[in-house]
Amino acid sequence: MGKEEKTRLGEQELELLRFVTDRAPVTARDAVAEFGQSKGLARTTVLTMLERLRKKGFLLREDENPPAKYRPAQAKSEVIQGMIADFVERTLGGSPVPFVAYLVQSKSIKAEEAEQLRALLNELEREDAD
Amino acid sequence: MGKEEKTRLGEQELELLRFVTDRAPVTARDAVAEFGQSKGLARTTVLTMLERLRKKGFLLREDENPPAKYRPAQAKSEVIQGMIADFVERTLGGSPVPFVAYLVQSKSIKAEEAEQLRALLNELEREDAD
DNA sequence: ATAGAGTGACTACTGCTGTAGACAAATTGC
DNA sequence: GCAATTTGTCTACAGCAGTAGTCACTCTAT
């Protein structure tokens, strides 16, 4: 995720990126009508953000025929994982422990996720034993 | 964390806040000498950021006698958990699933971290059993 | 042919973040 | 007493994020 390492996304840009990632492919009009309207943003505000995201490399635009269609430059999961990696590195100093502590204390981890984490830890234990 | 809901912190501000949170109480001179120098920042840059963080309510300053000492307005864990909560809400739409997926895929957990994670999961298990 | 609708580019503004010099006042060392 | 050092405030700039109006062009409906 080279581009993201060079630029930062603002709050609103992030949410627009997620919107497009969830709904791709999206026309500007779609984004204006749904994303923009739900946030009370002017048409040109949404257009500007789409263009900035495209210029930053987070969105791609297919515009052989109007209306142009936008989609994320990376698969949805990559977009999200890049953001998480970024957050963990910049805010938590690289350690995921405080994040898990938060999830445990806020009781937002469900049994399935806890199970996945246990499986991961077991696998790491096996690898360390090798 | 009412203040943080009103303002956002930039990257550098965040790291300075973490530095002060880790080392409290900290004089401006400490911050300039350690934080600033490690990042190649001018003295007045660090001073400005300290003052902005104080004005935003993230730092408190005891200045009955020079040199003033800075400390976080909230306990370290609260600062961190507030940021995580913020991130989960804004970037992950409230769901911990993408973070768990990130942990599973990143394979970057250190042994010490794995141990701490195990303890957290054990705690979760105990709570679920109650 | 023309009005209306849709589209995308251009432009511009505010406040914030990151950055840092200049300055005055207080303190310290000689 | 004075120079040097330390401290904190004031000020200012560039670039970015968020915001949005205007305009020209294309397409559509009449």
Side-chain angles (χ1 to χ4, degrees):
Chain A
M1 193 169 286
K3 280 299 192 355
E4 190 174 325
E5 282 165 27
K6 280 193 281 181
T7 60
R8 287 277 300 158
L9 291 183
E11 303 284 322
Q12 207 78 288
E13 289 174 322
L14 204 69
E15 293 199 48
L16 179 54
L17 177 57
R18 283 181 52 216
F19 172 84
V20 174
T21 300
D22 285 344
R23 297 280 313 277
V26 165
T27 64
R29 182 175 190 173
D30 291 335
V32 167
E34 298 173 45
F35 178 83
Q37 206 154 31
S38 72
K39 291 183 171 291
L41 299 178
R43 176 177 169 268
T44 40
T45 301
V46 180
L47 294 184
T48 296
M49 286 196 290
L50 284 175
E51 183 55 20
R52 282 177 181 164
L53 285 167
R54 189 186 69 79
K55 277 176 168 161
K56 287 175 174 177
F58 291 97
L59 290 181
L60 300 173
R61 188 172 76 181
E62 312 158 20
D63 48 5
E64 49 273 25
N65 313 315
K69 291 182 188 61
Y70 293 83
R71 55 188 177 80
Q74 282 163 307
K76 178 171 179 173
S77 58
E78 284 184 48
V79 171
I80 297 294
Q81 300 229 331
M83 293 175 191
I84 296 175
D86 202 53
F87 175 80
V88 169
E89 189 57 43
R90 292 176 196 273
T91 308
L92 306 179
S95 169
V97 173
F99 208 126
V100 175
Y102 164 80
L103 293 179
V104 166
Q105 290 184 29
S106 65
K107 309 211 190 286
S108 53
I109 278 197
K110 295 195 178 59
E112 182 180 338
E113 287 110 39
E115 201 48 47
Q116 287 173 348
L117 284 178
R118 256 184 261 281
L120 170 66
L121 294 178
N122 289 342
E123 182 184 333
L124 286 177
E125 204 175 57
R126 277 200 291 276
E127 284 174 5
D128 281 354
D130 285 351
Chain B
M1 194 167 289
K3 280 301 191 355
E4 191 174 324
E5 283 164 27
K6 280 193 280 180
T7 60
R8 287 276 299 159
L9 292 182
E11 303 285 322
Q12 208 78 287
E13 290 174 321
L14 203 69
E15 293 200 46
L16 179 53
L17 177 57
R18 282 181 53 219
F19 171 84
V20 174
T21 301
D22 285 345
R23 297 279 314 276
V26 165
T27 64
R29 184 176 189 172
D30 292 335
V32 167
E34 298 173 44
F35 179 85
Q37 207 153 32
S38 73
K39 290 184 171 290
L41 299 178
R43 176 177 170 268
T44 40
T45 300
V46 180
L47 293 184
T48 297
M49 286 197 290
L50 283 175
E51 183 55 22
R52 283 177 181 165
L53 285 168
R54 189 186 69 80
K55 277 177 169 163
K56 287 175 174 177
F58 290 98
L59 290 181
L60 300 173
R61 189 173 75 182
E62 312 157 21
D63 47 6
E64 48 273 26
N65 313 314
K69 293 184 188 60
Y70 294 83
R71 55 187 177 79
Q74 283 164 305
K76 179 170 178 173
S77 57
E78 284 183 46
V79 171
I80 297 294
Q81 299 227 332
M83 293 175 192
I84 297 174
D86 202 54
F87 176 81
V88 169
E89 193 53 45
R90 292 176 194 275
T91 308
L92 308 182
S95 167
V97 172
F99 174 73
V100 173
Y102 159 77
L103 275 186
V104 169
Q105 293 191 25
S106 75
K107 308 212 186 286
S108 62
I109 296 177
K110 298 185 178 69
E112 182 183 334
E113 290 167 349
E115 202 50 45
Q116 290 172 335
L117 292 179
R118 226 181 287 280
L120 285 168
L121 291 177
N122 288 343
E123 176 187 330
L124 185 63
E125 205 174 56
R126 277 202 291 278
E127 284 173 6
D128 281 355
D130 285 352

